[in-house]
Amino acid sequence: GRPMSAPGSAGVPELLAVWRWSANVLQSRLTRWWVGDASLPFFCNACQYLFRPSRLPTPFVAAERYLPACCNCTGVVGCKFPRGGPTQGRKLELCRIPVESGRVQE
């Protein structure tokens, strides 16, 4: 078989973390769609980042806790992920994900 990581690419723990996170986000979105969640946005920008380590922050294991763990987007334009993704050659930056209101109260 082929080696799982080529020189200069993410290591196996990084790839596994990306796949685990991506699968959770995708599964939660599909579950919301399946049950007919009316608050689910029609368009989802997250799909442009899922399963694509090159489009996610590195090292991913350290950045994962700052990313949404599941699809919690709401409203017509409520996707938490920025538009563009691979089509514009962008990499997901933590500062581009809107902070959820009410999560931290000062």
Side-chain angles (χ1 to χ4, degrees):
R2 295 183 339 190
M4 285 201 60
S5 72
S9 70
V12 173
E14 283 281 298
L15 292 176
L16 290 176
V18 166
W19 276 76
R20 183 182 62 245
W21 173 80
S22 298
N24 286 339
V25 172
L26 183 60
Q27 179 184 18
S28 64
R29 180 168 179 84
L30 291 174
T31 300
R32 290 180 65 193
W33 173 81
W34 181 257
V35 300
D37 186 341
S39 67
L40 187 66
F42 185 70
F43 293 105
C44 179
N45 299 327
C47 298
Q48 300 169 343
Y49 300 98
L50 301 181
F51 304 104
R52 298 178 187 218
S54 64
R55 297 291 169 208
L56 295 166
T58 51
F60 183 79
V61 172
E64 181 179 7
R65 65 186 177 137
Y66 298 106
L67 299 174
C70 61
C71 175
N72 57 2
C73 305
T74 56
V76 179
V77 290
C79 187
K80 297 281 192 289
F81 292 84
R83 261 187 15 214
T87 57
Q88 295 179 12
R90 286 189 183 155
K91 187 171 186 171
L92 184 63
E93 299 168 14
L94 298 179
C95 63
R96 292 179 54 89
I97 297 180
V99 176
E100 290 183 36
S101 61
R103 182 181 255 183
V104 177
Q105 303 211 350
E106 296 181 25

